[in-house]
Every structure is written in structure tokens, then in C-alpha cells.
Amino acid sequence: MTPHELSRTDARRIAIRAQLLDGARPAGLADAVRRLTLLQIDPTAAVAPNADLVAWSRLGSSYAPSDLTAALENRTLLELRAMIRPGEDIGLYRAEMAQWAGDGPLGAWREQRRAWVRANDACRLDILDRLGTSGPLPSRELPDTCEVPWKSTGWTNNRNVTQLLEMMVLRGEVAVAGRRGGDRMWDLAERVYPEVPVVPLDEAPRLRDERRLRALGIARARGTELPVEPADVGEAGEPAVVEGVKGTWRVDPAQLARLAEPFTGRAALLSPFDRLVHDRKRTSELFAFDYQLEMYKPAAKRRWGYFALPILYGDRLVGKLDALADRKAGVLRVHAIHEDEPCDKSVTEAVHREVEDLARWLRLDLALPR
């Protein structure tokens, strides 16, 4: 197929519409997550937890974090490897779980993990027995009878139970049944996952690629391997080239058809983990937007702030909001609004309305820079 020829404006509008950040807001949380395919869980809550902030960016102040809690409790949504996904999507992963590691040749690090799980099979069975009789339970209440400790140069060293649980998730044996405070509550997968048709192993990757492309709108066919959710989409969609950008892309045909429609944009404040900007290379190529999460940098070396929120207006990323939620003082402190390009009065007013709405949603007073 001859690649579609897209301008950067076309490509940006495709991405924005696919990510539900144009003027037409989704009907509710379940609708939003089904169309986005996931909400990423991240412990950082400098402004708000990532899953909540991403949902608010789409739904506005009609969204309440209690909506997410309820959806997880009734299994409309579920947690899988630090991603919140539609409950019915578990069918796209179950066949792969049943075949986890298998008996064939693997790459070095995967072979190491398979060998470690096998060496600690007795502990795995002990965990399943405890959960079967007493689950759901936090990891600290599960037995550590591992014969071979988990070795790592990082913080996971000797964290045998939590590492084994992560691999038991990949095997489809256990699942996160909920959260109590900051603790994940573990249970047998059969008591957590809804009964949905299992997509055959040879079909599931293709369907996941297609769903990912619908959520992204435009993406590369191949990219760097990522541990949980890829940024590439294989052969899903149709080929496209973007003016001024090297290489070929894959684009969602449904979004191509919408290019003939008038584009209605809006202002939005985005989490640094938002899927519109999560792939920093794509963000640079399509939006010419320079961004780094600076929370791990010394304060003196930060350009935009500890947890700066990218600012979307229409089909452009126009700046960053340097703000922190001071919950103890009951204040959303805005340190700066950094403009990547000069913003006229209408843009400035729209962004300020979003900042004010963010403060209201957080139930915090707004403290603007003097």
C-alpha cells in the first residue's frame, strides 16, 4: 500500500483525537479507559496520582477518584502489571499467561527468570495455598520459603515474594484484587479476573497492536522493547509518512477518515506519564516539544520544575505548568507557567481556566506566582 502523506498538523490531530483530548469528551470513565486501553499506575502524586490525573484530563471535574475505586471493585476495570485496563481485555493476555516461559529457548534475562521461578517452585505453591485459604492478602503476609534468593543490584534485591508474585502474574496464577492504603492485595487470578473468552495465542498480539494503534492514532511499527506496554504497533493500521519527519508510521484508518472533519481543540493539562507525551521521541517528532521529567534532577538543574505538566492547547503543546499540590496547607501552588511559544490572550485565559479547574477538582485553594 502506498503510504498516506500527512502534514505534522494532521499527525498531531490524529494523536490528540485518539487520546480523547480534543473538544469531544468521553462519556465516562469506563468509556475513556476502553478507548485509551489503559491508565498507568505510578506512585508519584505531586499533583495527583497518574491514573486520576489522566482521567481528569479527559473527563474534567465530573470525574472523581472514587469512580476509579468503584470500577476496580466491581471488575469493570482491573489492574494488570501496574496498568489499569478494561476487565474484558484480560482475554487478550490469558493465552500468553498460560504459555509463560514454556520450554523453548529464551533470551538470557528471560531464561534467568524462568530458572529462578523453577528453583523456587515450592515457595510458589506455598503462596498459592495461602491465598487459596486466606486471600486477598498483602505481600508481607505471604510466606517466603524461597530456596534461591532474588539477586539484584537495585532495590529489589532479596525481595523474593514480591518478585515471585510479579512472575506469577505473568503466569496467570495471581492478580491484584485491590489496594489497601499503599499495599496491593493479592489473590488467586481465578477469583479476580472476569470470565471472558480467551483470545488464541496467535491472534492476541495482533489485536493488542490494533487496540494500541486506535488509542495512539499514529505510531511506529517497530520501537525499543519496553517492559510492560509497547509504544509500537507492528503491522496494525495503514502506512503513512509525516512531512518533515523521517521514516514510516502506522496510522489508524478511522482517524484518517476524520481528517475531513473540522478539528475542535481545547486546553488540557497532562500528566508527564500521559500517553500523548509518554513516547518522548514521538512527542518531539510530531509536536516539536522538548520535555523531560525533572523530579530526579537536583533543583538547581531543573528547567521546568519537579513535576511539570505539559500544556496542550488545540493541536499544539505550548508549555509546561510547574505546580505542586500542598495538601497539608490545602493549596495548589503554581510556581510558573512556562511558555514554549508566545501565547496570546485566548490561549492564556484557556490555560488559566484549566489551572483553576484543576485546583477545584483537587479541592485545594489556588496560589499563583506573584
Side-chain angles (χ1 to χ4, degrees):
M1 178 182 290
T2 302
H4 299 277
E5 296 182 3
L6 304 175
S7 67
R8 285 198 187 187
T9 299
D10 289 338
R12 291 196 300 269
R13 290 179 175 182
I14 285 171
I16 290 165
R17 279 173 163 160
Q19 276 289 296
L20 312 181
L21 286 165
D22 62 337
R25 293 185 185 267
L29 179 63
D31 176 50
V33 179
R34 286 189 178 100
R35 293 164 67 184
L36 296 174
T37 74
L38 62 85
L39 298 176
Q40 180 177 337
I41 298 171
D42 189 88
T44 308
V47 174
N50 179 68
D52 291 322
L53 190 52
V54 170
W56 170 79
S57 294
R58 276 73 183 169
L59 298 167
S61 289
S62 65
Y63 167 73
S66 58
D67 298 340
L68 180 55
T69 301
L72 289 167
E73 288 177 350
N74 65 30
R75 308 293 190 238
T76 301
L77 305 177
L78 57 81
E79 180 177 337
L80 176 63
R81 301 188 68 199
M83 302 287 180
I84 294 168
R85 299 184 185 274
E88 63 269 20
D89 278 12
I90 194 62
L92 293 167
Y93 298 89
R94 292 295 264 168
E96 189 175 277
M97 290 172 174
Q99 295 291 323
W100 183 81
D103 296 313
L106 297 172
W109 67 270
R110 288 189 173 91
E111 175 57 43
Q112 181 184 19
R113 291 189 171 200
R114 179 169 65 182
W116 184 78
V117 172
R118 287 175 173 172
N120 291 301
D121 196 57
C123 183
R124 182 182 67 83
L125 294 174
D126 288 343
I127 289 173
L128 290 173
D129 182 64
R130 179 69 63 84
L131 290 177
T133 57
S134 305
L137 293 170
S139 60
R140 64 175 177 274
E141 294 183 23
L142 295 173
D144 183 356
T145 56
C146 285
E147 296 181 10
V148 179
W150 176 260
K151 296 297 183 184
S152 169
T153 57
W155 69 274
T156 62
N157 189 55
N158 272 340
R159 293 182 180 267
N160 303 325
V161 171
T162 54
Q163 289 301 110
L164 191 51
L165 285 167
E166 296 292 350
M167 291 176 218
M168 291 170 73
V169 168
L170 295 177
R171 293 167 62 99
E173 296 176 317
V174 303
V176 177
R179 290 186 178 242
R180 185 179 298 163
D183 291 332
R184 289 179 294 179
M185 302 299 291
W186 297 92
D187 206 347
L188 300 179
E190 64 197 49
R191 297 202 292 233
V192 176
Y193 295 152
E195 293 186 11
V196 296
V198 175
V199 178
L201 188 63
D202 59 348
E203 293 182 27
R206 174 182 58 81
L207 293 176
R208 293 199 300 262
D209 284 346
E210 290 175 358
R211 282 185 45 70
R212 190 179 311 112
L213 180 59
R214 283 198 294 271
L216 295 173
I218 183 169
R220 296 290 191 179
R222 299 286 180 268
T224 304
E225 183 179 4
L226 300 176
V228 178
E229 181 71 9
D232 53 31
V233 296
E235 299 307 308
E238 298 177 4
V241 292
V242 178
E243 180 184 9
V245 182
K246 293 181 180 179
T248 304
W249 299 77
R250 304 299 295 186
V251 64
D252 178 12
Q255 291 297 337
L256 283 172
R258 295 189 64 189
L259 287 175
E261 302 173 12
F263 177 82
T264 303
R266 62 182 176 89
L269 306 175
L270 308 179
S271 164
F273 305 110
D274 195 291
R275 289 292 155 184
L276 187 71
V277 297
H278 189 268
D279 183 341
R280 308 294 192 227
K281 187 172 186 293
R282 187 185 83 140
T283 304
S284 176
E285 290 174 325
L286 300 185
F287 290 86
F289 186 69
D290 183 18
Y291 184 83
Q292 290 181 333
L293 181 58
E294 298 182 308
M295 58 191 292
Y296 301 110
K297 286 186 178 182
K301 294 187 177 181
R302 293 174 190 149
R303 290 178 289 173
W304 307 304
Y306 177 83
F307 196 75
L309 306 185
I311 301 171
L312 175 72
Y313 182 81
D315 58 19
R316 303 285 300 178
L317 289 164
V318 298
K320 294 96 174 170
L321 172 71
D322 180 8
L324 292 173
D326 185 344
R327 293 173 178 82
K328 187 175 182 180
V331 171
L332 176 65
R333 300 192 185 280
V334 175
H335 302 301
I337 298 177
H338 301 284
E339 296 182 1
D340 280 35
E341 53 188 60
C343 295
D344 62 23
K345 183 179 179 182
S346 63
V347 176
T348 300
E349 290 177 348
V351 171
H352 276 270
R353 284 195 297 270
E354 282 297 294
V355 174
E356 291 166 358
D357 191 59
L358 176 61
R360 281 193 299 271
W361 175 67
L362 293 170
R363 300 182 180 179
L364 299 174
D365 293 331
L366 181 60
L368 295 169
R370 295 179 179 178

